[in-house]
Amino acid sequence: VYALDESGTFVYCSPAIETISSYRPDEVIGRAFSDFTHPDDLPALGAAMKKALAGGSATLEFRVFDKDG
């Protein structure tokens, strides 16, 4: 579970993030979601975030980088 602010910056990450990515929550909070997202997936991610901020919803699959790359 995670929460982003309107600019796409992490404001919360559950402790489970470490199991999934090897990042501790304190290493993620305050950083942009795009820092962890595969560059090819950023356009679709940006469109989904824009839709969500406008009050809509979106389902999206995308690749993220773990601590090992």
PDB file of all heavy atoms in Angstrom, residues 16-49:
ATOM      1  N   ALA A  16       5.543  -3.340   3.821  1.00  0.00           N
ATOM      2  CA  ALA A  16       5.653  -4.425   2.838  1.00  0.00           C
ATOM      3  C   ALA A  16       6.479  -4.027   1.625  1.00  0.00           C
ATOM      4  O   ALA A  16       6.959  -4.893   0.891  1.00  0.00           O
ATOM      5  CB  ALA A  16       4.266  -4.870   2.398  1.00  0.00           C
ATOM      6  N   ILE A  17       6.678  -2.733   1.411  1.00  0.00           N
ATOM      7  CA  ILE A  17       7.476  -2.281   0.268  1.00  0.00           C
ATOM      8  C   ILE A  17       8.873  -2.898   0.311  1.00  0.00           C
ATOM      9  O   ILE A  17       9.455  -3.199  -0.721  1.00  0.00           O
ATOM     10  CB  ILE A  17       7.545  -0.733   0.194  1.00  0.00           C
ATOM     11  CG1 ILE A  17       8.106  -0.261  -1.141  1.00  0.00           C
ATOM     12  CG2 ILE A  17       8.377  -0.149   1.310  1.00  0.00           C
ATOM     13  CD1 ILE A  17       7.184  -0.386  -2.296  1.00  0.00           C
ATOM     14  N   GLU A  18       9.386  -3.126   1.517  1.00  0.00           N
ATOM     15  CA  GLU A  18      10.732  -3.687   1.640  1.00  0.00           C
ATOM     16  C   GLU A  18      10.773  -5.136   1.140  1.00  0.00           C
ATOM     17  O   GLU A  18      11.740  -5.550   0.506  1.00  0.00           O
ATOM     18  CB  GLU A  18      11.224  -3.600   3.080  1.00  0.00           C
ATOM     19  CG  GLU A  18      12.688  -3.904   3.213  1.00  0.00           C
ATOM     20  CD  GLU A  18      13.276  -3.504   4.554  1.00  0.00           C
ATOM     21  OE1 GLU A  18      12.551  -2.977   5.424  1.00  0.00           O
ATOM     22  OE2 GLU A  18      14.479  -3.729   4.728  1.00  0.00           O
ATOM     23  N   THR A  19       9.727  -5.890   1.382  1.00  0.00           N
ATOM     24  CA  THR A  19       9.652  -7.272   0.911  1.00  0.00           C
ATOM     25  C   THR A  19       9.599  -7.314  -0.613  1.00  0.00           C
ATOM     26  O   THR A  19      10.215  -8.171  -1.242  1.00  0.00           O
ATOM     27  CB  THR A  19       8.401  -7.968   1.480  1.00  0.00           C
ATOM     28  OG1 THR A  19       8.456  -7.914   2.903  1.00  0.00           O
ATOM     29  CG2 THR A  19       8.309  -9.413   1.016  1.00  0.00           C
ATOM     30  N   ILE A  20       8.887  -6.372  -1.195  1.00  0.00           N
ATOM     31  CA  ILE A  20       8.682  -6.344  -2.641  1.00  0.00           C
ATOM     32  C   ILE A  20       9.892  -5.778  -3.380  1.00  0.00           C
ATOM     33  O   ILE A  20      10.300  -6.292  -4.414  1.00  0.00           O
ATOM     34  CB  ILE A  20       7.424  -5.524  -2.981  1.00  0.00           C
ATOM     35  CG1 ILE A  20       6.197  -6.200  -2.388  1.00  0.00           C
ATOM     36  CG2 ILE A  20       7.275  -5.311  -4.476  1.00  0.00           C
ATOM     37  CD1 ILE A  20       4.977  -5.316  -2.358  1.00  0.00           C
ATOM     38  N   SER A  21      10.477  -4.709  -2.836  1.00  0.00           N
ATOM     39  CA  SER A  21      11.482  -3.970  -3.594  1.00  0.00           C
ATOM     40  C   SER A  21      12.855  -3.863  -2.942  1.00  0.00           C
ATOM     41  O   SER A  21      13.785  -3.351  -3.559  1.00  0.00           O
ATOM     42  CB  SER A  21      10.974  -2.548  -3.835  1.00  0.00           C
ATOM     43  OG  SER A  21      10.968  -1.818  -2.615  1.00  0.00           O
ATOM     44  N   SER A  22      12.984  -4.269  -1.704  1.00  0.00           N
ATOM     45  CA  SER A  22      14.198  -4.117  -0.889  1.00  0.00           C
ATOM     46  C   SER A  22      14.409  -2.685  -0.412  1.00  0.00           C
ATOM     47  O   SER A  22      15.374  -2.408   0.293  1.00  0.00           O
ATOM     48  CB  SER A  22      15.451  -4.615  -1.613  1.00  0.00           C
ATOM     49  OG  SER A  22      15.333  -5.984  -1.916  1.00  0.00           O
ATOM     50  N   TYR A  23      13.545  -1.761  -0.795  1.00  0.00           N
ATOM     51  CA  TYR A  23      13.604  -0.389  -0.274  1.00  0.00           C
ATOM     52  C   TYR A  23      12.824  -0.318   1.028  1.00  0.00           C
ATOM     53  O   TYR A  23      11.721  -0.850   1.129  1.00  0.00           O
ATOM     54  CB  TYR A  23      12.979   0.613  -1.245  1.00  0.00           C
ATOM     55  CG  TYR A  23      13.808   0.944  -2.450  1.00  0.00           C
ATOM     56  CD1 TYR A  23      13.495   0.398  -3.686  1.00  0.00           C
ATOM     57  CD2 TYR A  23      14.876   1.826  -2.362  1.00  0.00           C
ATOM     58  CE1 TYR A  23      14.243   0.714  -4.809  1.00  0.00           C
ATOM     59  CE2 TYR A  23      15.627   2.146  -3.487  1.00  0.00           C
ATOM     60  CZ  TYR A  23      15.299   1.585  -4.698  1.00  0.00           C
ATOM     61  OH  TYR A  23      16.045   1.899  -5.809  1.00  0.00           O
ATOM     62  N   ARG A  24      13.381   0.364   2.024  1.00  0.00           N
ATOM     63  CA  ARG A  24      12.646   0.656   3.251  1.00  0.00           C
ATOM     64  C   ARG A  24      11.704   1.830   2.978  1.00  0.00           C
ATOM     65  O   ARG A  24      11.993   2.658   2.111  1.00  0.00           O
ATOM     66  CB  ARG A  24      13.600   1.035   4.382  1.00  0.00           C
ATOM     67  CG  ARG A  24      14.543  -0.074   4.812  1.00  0.00           C
ATOM     68  CD  ARG A  24      15.404   0.363   6.002  1.00  0.00           C
ATOM     69  NE  ARG A  24      15.879   1.741   5.898  1.00  0.00           N
ATOM     70  CZ  ARG A  24      17.034   2.112   5.315  1.00  0.00           C
ATOM     71  NH1 ARG A  24      17.830   1.210   4.773  1.00  0.00           N
ATOM     72  NH2 ARG A  24      17.379   3.382   5.284  1.00  0.00           N
ATOM     73  N   PRO A  25      10.599   1.937   3.694  1.00  0.00           N
ATOM     74  CA  PRO A  25       9.698   3.064   3.479  1.00  0.00           C
ATOM     75  C   PRO A  25      10.398   4.421   3.547  1.00  0.00           C
ATOM     76  O   PRO A  25      10.122   5.311   2.741  1.00  0.00           O
ATOM     77  CB  PRO A  25       8.663   2.909   4.597  1.00  0.00           C
ATOM     78  CG  PRO A  25       8.604   1.437   4.815  1.00  0.00           C
ATOM     79  CD  PRO A  25      10.043   0.982   4.656  1.00  0.00           C
ATOM     80  N   ASP A  26      11.353   4.590   4.473  1.00  0.00           N
ATOM     81  CA  ASP A  26      12.035   5.884   4.593  1.00  0.00           C
ATOM     82  C   ASP A  26      12.924   6.193   3.390  1.00  0.00           C
ATOM     83  O   ASP A  26      13.298   7.348   3.179  1.00  0.00           O
ATOM     84  CB  ASP A  26      12.842   5.964   5.896  1.00  0.00           C
ATOM     85  CG  ASP A  26      13.995   4.975   5.953  1.00  0.00           C
ATOM     86  OD1 ASP A  26      13.743   3.761   5.816  1.00  0.00           O
ATOM     87  OD2 ASP A  26      15.140   5.425   6.134  1.00  0.00           O
ATOM     88  N   GLU A  27      13.248   5.189   2.585  1.00  0.00           N
ATOM     89  CA  GLU A  27      14.029   5.413   1.371  1.00  0.00           C
ATOM     90  C   GLU A  27      13.135   5.810   0.191  1.00  0.00           C
ATOM     91  O   GLU A  27      13.631   6.281  -0.824  1.00  0.00           O
ATOM     92  CB  GLU A  27      14.804   4.152   0.989  1.00  0.00           C
ATOM     93  CG  GLU A  27      15.883   3.766   1.979  1.00  0.00           C
ATOM     94  CD  GLU A  27      16.562   2.475   1.589  1.00  0.00           C
ATOM     95  OE1 GLU A  27      15.879   1.425   1.567  1.00  0.00           O
ATOM     96  OE2 GLU A  27      17.782   2.517   1.317  1.00  0.00           O
ATOM     97  N   VAL A  28      11.843   5.587   0.336  1.00  0.00           N
ATOM     98  CA  VAL A  28      10.896   5.848  -0.740  1.00  0.00           C
ATOM     99  C   VAL A  28      10.115   7.139  -0.506  1.00  0.00           C
ATOM    100  O   VAL A  28       9.930   7.944  -1.421  1.00  0.00           O
ATOM    101  CB  VAL A  28       9.926   4.644  -0.887  1.00  0.00           C
ATOM    102  CG1 VAL A  28       8.842   4.930  -1.899  1.00  0.00           C
ATOM    103  CG2 VAL A  28      10.705   3.392  -1.263  1.00  0.00           C
ATOM    104  N   ILE A  29       9.679   7.355   0.722  1.00  0.00           N
ATOM    105  CA  ILE A  29       8.876   8.535   1.048  1.00  0.00           C
ATOM    106  C   ILE A  29       9.666   9.804   0.721  1.00  0.00           C
ATOM    107  O   ILE A  29      10.837   9.929   1.056  1.00  0.00           O
ATOM    108  CB  ILE A  29       8.436   8.506   2.522  1.00  0.00           C
ATOM    109  CG1 ILE A  29       7.490   7.316   2.728  1.00  0.00           C
ATOM    110  CG2 ILE A  29       7.759   9.813   2.925  1.00  0.00           C
ATOM    111  CD1 ILE A  29       7.155   7.031   4.167  1.00  0.00           C
ATOM    112  N   GLY A  30       9.005  10.701   0.021  1.00  0.00           N
ATOM    113  CA  GLY A  30       9.633  11.954  -0.401  1.00  0.00           C
ATOM    114  C   GLY A  30      10.215  11.893  -1.807  1.00  0.00           C
ATOM    115  O   GLY A  30      10.642  12.916  -2.337  1.00  0.00           O
ATOM    116  N   ARG A  31      10.236  10.713  -2.399  1.00  0.00           N
ATOM    117  CA  ARG A  31      10.749  10.561  -3.769  1.00  0.00           C
ATOM    118  C   ARG A  31       9.601  10.412  -4.749  1.00  0.00           C
ATOM    119  O   ARG A  31       8.514   9.983  -4.394  1.00  0.00           O
ATOM    120  CB  ARG A  31      11.670   9.343  -3.856  1.00  0.00           C
ATOM    121  CG  ARG A  31      12.963   9.555  -3.069  1.00  0.00           C
ATOM    122  CD  ARG A  31      13.921   8.424  -3.195  1.00  0.00           C
ATOM    123  NE  ARG A  31      14.338   8.200  -4.577  1.00  0.00           N
ATOM    124  CZ  ARG A  31      15.072   7.165  -4.953  1.00  0.00           C
ATOM    125  NH1 ARG A  31      15.463   6.273  -4.073  1.00  0.00           N
ATOM    126  NH2 ARG A  31      15.417   7.015  -6.217  1.00  0.00           N
ATOM    127  N   ALA A  32       9.861  10.730  -5.983  1.00  0.00           N
ATOM    128  CA  ALA A  32       8.850  10.636  -7.038  1.00  0.00           C
ATOM    129  C   ALA A  32       8.615   9.184  -7.420  1.00  0.00           C
ATOM    130  O   ALA A  32       9.559   8.391  -7.512  1.00  0.00           O
ATOM    131  CB  ALA A  32       9.295  11.423  -8.261  1.00  0.00           C
ATOM    132  N   PHE A  33       7.353   8.850  -7.662  1.00  0.00           N
ATOM    133  CA  PHE A  33       7.005   7.513  -8.126  1.00  0.00           C
ATOM    134  C   PHE A  33       7.753   7.185  -9.410  1.00  0.00           C
ATOM    135  O   PHE A  33       8.174   6.060  -9.618  1.00  0.00           O
ATOM    136  CB  PHE A  33       5.489   7.438  -8.339  1.00  0.00           C
ATOM    137  CG  PHE A  33       4.982   6.046  -8.509  1.00  0.00           C
ATOM    138  CD1 PHE A  33       4.680   5.282  -7.409  1.00  0.00           C
ATOM    139  CD2 PHE A  33       4.801   5.505  -9.763  1.00  0.00           C
ATOM    140  CE1 PHE A  33       4.206   3.984  -7.541  1.00  0.00           C
ATOM    141  CE2 PHE A  33       4.333   4.219  -9.918  1.00  0.00           C
ATOM    142  CZ  PHE A  33       4.030   3.448  -8.805  1.00  0.00           C
ATOM    143  N   SER A  34       7.943   8.181 -10.249  1.00  0.00           N
ATOM    144  CA  SER A  34       8.627   7.974 -11.526  1.00  0.00           C
ATOM    145  C   SER A  34      10.078   7.536 -11.349  1.00  0.00           C
ATOM    146  O   SER A  34      10.647   6.921 -12.244  1.00  0.00           O
ATOM    147  CB  SER A  34       8.557   9.227 -12.386  1.00  0.00           C
ATOM    148  OG  SER A  34       9.163  10.324 -11.730  1.00  0.00           O
ATOM    149  N   ASP A  35      10.674   7.803 -10.186  1.00  0.00           N
ATOM    150  CA  ASP A  35      12.050   7.356  -9.919  1.00  0.00           C
ATOM    151  C   ASP A  35      12.162   5.832  -9.924  1.00  0.00           C
ATOM    152  O   ASP A  35      13.244   5.298 -10.117  1.00  0.00           O
ATOM    153  CB  ASP A  35      12.538   7.856  -8.559  1.00  0.00           C
ATOM    154  CG  ASP A  35      12.790   9.347  -8.505  1.00  0.00           C
ATOM    155  OD1 ASP A  35      12.789  10.004  -9.569  1.00  0.00           O
ATOM    156  OD2 ASP A  35      12.978   9.857  -7.389  1.00  0.00           O
ATOM    157  N   PHE A  36      11.049   5.163  -9.697  1.00  0.00           N
ATOM    158  CA  PHE A  36      11.043   3.708  -9.561  1.00  0.00           C
ATOM    159  C   PHE A  36      10.342   3.013 -10.732  1.00  0.00           C
ATOM    160  O   PHE A  36      10.215   1.799 -10.737  1.00  0.00           O
ATOM    161  CB  PHE A  36      10.341   3.309  -8.258  1.00  0.00           C
ATOM    162  CG  PHE A  36      10.963   3.928  -7.043  1.00  0.00           C
ATOM    163  CD1 PHE A  36      10.480   5.111  -6.519  1.00  0.00           C
ATOM    164  CD2 PHE A  36      12.061   3.343  -6.433  1.00  0.00           C
ATOM    165  CE1 PHE A  36      11.055   5.694  -5.397  1.00  0.00           C
ATOM    166  CE2 PHE A  36      12.644   3.914  -5.320  1.00  0.00           C
ATOM    167  CZ  PHE A  36      12.147   5.092  -4.800  1.00  0.00           C
ATOM    168  N   THR A  37       9.879   3.785 -11.709  1.00  0.00           N
ATOM    169  CA  THR A  37       9.075   3.250 -12.804  1.00  0.00           C
ATOM    170  C   THR A  37       9.902   3.136 -14.076  1.00  0.00           C
ATOM    171  O   THR A  37      10.673   4.031 -14.405  1.00  0.00           O
ATOM    172  CB  THR A  37       7.864   4.171 -13.068  1.00  0.00           C
ATOM    173  OG1 THR A  37       7.156   4.357 -11.839  1.00  0.00           O
ATOM    174  CG2 THR A  37       6.926   3.579 -14.093  1.00  0.00           C
ATOM    175  N   HIS A  38       9.728   2.048 -14.796  1.00  0.00           N
ATOM    176  CA  HIS A  38      10.436   1.850 -16.059  1.00  0.00           C
ATOM    177  C   HIS A  38      10.094   3.006 -17.005  1.00  0.00           C
ATOM    178  O   HIS A  38       8.920   3.370 -17.149  1.00  0.00           O
ATOM    179  CB  HIS A  38      10.027   0.516 -16.683  1.00  0.00           C
ATOM    180  CG  HIS A  38      10.897   0.113 -17.816  1.00  0.00           C
ATOM    181  ND1 HIS A  38      10.785   0.673 -19.066  1.00  0.00           N
ATOM    182  CD2 HIS A  38      11.901  -0.795 -17.884  1.00  0.00           C
ATOM    183  CE1 HIS A  38      11.681   0.126 -19.871  1.00  0.00           C
ATOM    184  NE2 HIS A  38      12.377  -0.767 -19.170  1.00  0.00           N
ATOM    185  N   PRO A  39      11.080   3.607 -17.653  1.00  0.00           N
ATOM    186  CA  PRO A  39      10.841   4.773 -18.516  1.00  0.00           C
ATOM    187  C   PRO A  39       9.793   4.537 -19.605  1.00  0.00           C
ATOM    188  O   PRO A  39       9.031   5.455 -19.932  1.00  0.00           O
ATOM    189  CB  PRO A  39      12.209   5.056 -19.143  1.00  0.00           C
ATOM    190  CG  PRO A  39      13.201   4.427 -18.235  1.00  0.00           C
ATOM    191  CD  PRO A  39      12.502   3.259 -17.585  1.00  0.00           C
ATOM    192  N   ASP A  40       9.733   3.332 -20.150  1.00  0.00           N
ATOM    193  CA  ASP A  40       8.744   3.054 -21.197  1.00  0.00           C
ATOM    194  C   ASP A  40       7.316   3.086 -20.680  1.00  0.00           C
ATOM    195  O   ASP A  40       6.370   3.232 -21.459  1.00  0.00           O
ATOM    196  CB  ASP A  40       9.000   1.688 -21.839  1.00  0.00           C
ATOM    197  CG  ASP A  40      10.300   1.637 -22.625  1.00  0.00           C
ATOM    198  OD1 ASP A  40      10.873   2.709 -22.933  1.00  0.00           O
ATOM    199  OD2 ASP A  40      10.747   0.514 -22.931  1.00  0.00           O
ATOM    200  N   ASP A  41       7.142   2.946 -19.366  1.00  0.00           N
ATOM    201  CA  ASP A  41       5.809   2.916 -18.771  1.00  0.00           C
ATOM    202  C   ASP A  41       5.355   4.273 -18.241  1.00  0.00           C
ATOM    203  O   ASP A  41       4.203   4.428 -17.819  1.00  0.00           O
ATOM    204  CB  ASP A  41       5.768   1.887 -17.637  1.00  0.00           C
ATOM    205  CG  ASP A  41       6.043   0.479 -18.127  1.00  0.00           C
ATOM    206  OD1 ASP A  41       5.862   0.217 -19.342  1.00  0.00           O
ATOM    207  OD2 ASP A  41       6.442  -0.365 -17.307  1.00  0.00           O
ATOM    208  N   LEU A  42       6.231   5.263 -18.265  1.00  0.00           N
ATOM    209  CA  LEU A  42       5.896   6.575 -17.697  1.00  0.00           C
ATOM    210  C   LEU A  42       4.744   7.281 -18.406  1.00  0.00           C
ATOM    211  O   LEU A  42       3.901   7.885 -17.726  1.00  0.00           O
ATOM    212  CB  LEU A  42       7.138   7.470 -17.650  1.00  0.00           C
ATOM    213  CG  LEU A  42       8.180   7.070 -16.606  1.00  0.00           C
ATOM    214  CD1 LEU A  42       9.429   7.925 -16.750  1.00  0.00           C
ATOM    215  CD2 LEU A  42       7.601   7.168 -15.199  1.00  0.00           C
ATOM    216  N   PRO A  43       4.637   7.258 -19.739  1.00  0.00           N
ATOM    217  CA  PRO A  43       3.497   7.947 -20.370  1.00  0.00           C
ATOM    218  C   PRO A  43       2.139   7.404 -19.905  1.00  0.00           C
ATOM    219  O   PRO A  43       1.242   8.188 -19.574  1.00  0.00           O
ATOM    220  CB  PRO A  43       3.716   7.712 -21.864  1.00  0.00           C
ATOM    221  CG  PRO A  43       5.191   7.532 -22.003  1.00  0.00           C
ATOM    222  CD  PRO A  43       5.594   6.780 -20.759  1.00  0.00           C
ATOM    223  N   ALA A  44       1.995   6.096 -19.851  1.00  0.00           N
ATOM    224  CA  ALA A  44       0.729   5.508 -19.406  1.00  0.00           C
ATOM    225  C   ALA A  44       0.482   5.799 -17.929  1.00  0.00           C
ATOM    226  O   ALA A  44      -0.653   6.069 -17.518  1.00  0.00           O
ATOM    227  CB  ALA A  44       0.719   4.006 -19.658  1.00  0.00           C
ATOM    228  N   LEU A  45       1.532   5.776 -17.133  1.00  0.00           N
ATOM    229  CA  LEU A  45       1.396   6.086 -15.717  1.00  0.00           C
ATOM    230  C   LEU A  45       0.946   7.529 -15.530  1.00  0.00           C
ATOM    231  O   LEU A  45       0.046   7.819 -14.739  1.00  0.00           O
ATOM    232  CB  LEU A  45       2.710   5.836 -14.988  1.00  0.00           C
ATOM    233  CG  LEU A  45       2.708   6.142 -13.498  1.00  0.00           C
ATOM    234  CD1 LEU A  45       1.743   5.228 -12.768  1.00  0.00           C
ATOM    235  CD2 LEU A  45       4.104   5.989 -12.933  1.00  0.00           C
ATOM    236  N   GLY A  46       1.551   8.440 -16.280  1.00  0.00           N
ATOM    237  CA  GLY A  46       1.160   9.846 -16.197  1.00  0.00           C
ATOM    238  C   GLY A  46      -0.293  10.060 -16.590  1.00  0.00           C
ATOM    239  O   GLY A  46      -1.014  10.815 -15.935  1.00  0.00           O
ATOM    240  N   ALA A  47      -0.740   9.390 -17.621  1.00  0.00           N
ATOM    241  CA  ALA A  47      -2.134   9.506 -18.062  1.00  0.00           C
ATOM    242  C   ALA A  47      -3.083   8.957 -17.001  1.00  0.00           C
ATOM    243  O   ALA A  47      -4.134   9.553 -16.733  1.00  0.00           O
ATOM    244  CB  ALA A  47      -2.328   8.778 -19.388  1.00  0.00           C
ATOM    245  N   ALA A  48      -2.723   7.847 -16.377  1.00  0.00           N
ATOM    246  CA  ALA A  48      -3.561   7.260 -15.331  1.00  0.00           C
ATOM    247  C   ALA A  48      -3.635   8.170 -14.115  1.00  0.00           C
ATOM    248  O   ALA A  48      -4.705   8.344 -13.518  1.00  0.00           O
ATOM    249  CB  ALA A  48      -3.031   5.885 -14.938  1.00  0.00           C
ATOM    250  N   MET A  49      -2.513   8.777 -13.749  1.00  0.00           N
ATOM    251  CA  MET A  49      -2.518   9.693 -12.607  1.00  0.00           C
ATOM    252  C   MET A  49      -3.361  10.928 -12.906  1.00  0.00           C
ATOM    253  O   MET A  49      -4.112  11.390 -12.056  1.00  0.00           O
ATOM    254  CB  MET A  49      -1.087  10.079 -12.225  1.00  0.00           C
ATOM    255  CG  MET A  49      -0.331   8.937 -11.583  1.00  0.00           C
ATOM    256  SD  MET A  49       1.328   9.386 -11.050  1.00  0.00           S
ATOM    257  CE  MET A  49       0.956  10.544  -9.748  1.00  0.00           C
TER     258      MET A  49
END
